[in-house]
Amino acid sequence: MKVSSPIGELPFEPRSLRVRDGGIQMEGVMGAWPAKVEIDADDIPGLLRLVLRPGVLGVLIRIAFAQARRALFRRR
């Protein structure tokens, strides 16, 4: 993942994902700095509106199928 900011584009490497305090918390590293993304229940409607857009939903479905296909072929 990449994060664009005023100081430039930085890679974001997720390290953990957990449910905490009624929300989702992702911790990782952005460039040289530790970073945390917190999503709580109030954020869900906005995220669903974004994800359920036709173009975004299609991309997510294709990614899911590609990952499932890779997992199946790895087992063989």
Side-chain angles (χ1 to χ4, degrees):
M1 286 184 240
K2 280 193 251 182
V3 176
S4 296
S5 74
I7 63 167
E9 285 190 355
L10 300 169
F12 178 77
E13 181 183 332
R15 299 269 171 97
S16 69
L17 185 66
R18 61 181 69 118
V19 176
R20 182 172 276 173
D21 299 326
I24 299 170
Q25 184 180 71
M26 179 171 40
E27 293 182 3
V29 178
M30 187 174 70
W33 301 283
K36 185 179 354 178
V37 177
E38 295 181 9
I39 301 168
D40 64 24
D42 295 336
D43 299 319
I44 301 300
L47 289 172
L48 285 175
R49 279 193 298 277
L50 290 173
V51 170
L52 294 177
R53 288 183 180 171
V56 175
L57 187 57
V59 168
L60 292 175
I61 289 170
R62 280 183 254 153
I63 291 170
F65 277 116
Q67 292 298 322
R69 185 201 244 148
R70 281 188 201 137
L72 287 172
F73 285 116
R74 260 188 247 141
R75 291 182 187 166
R76 294 180 182 180

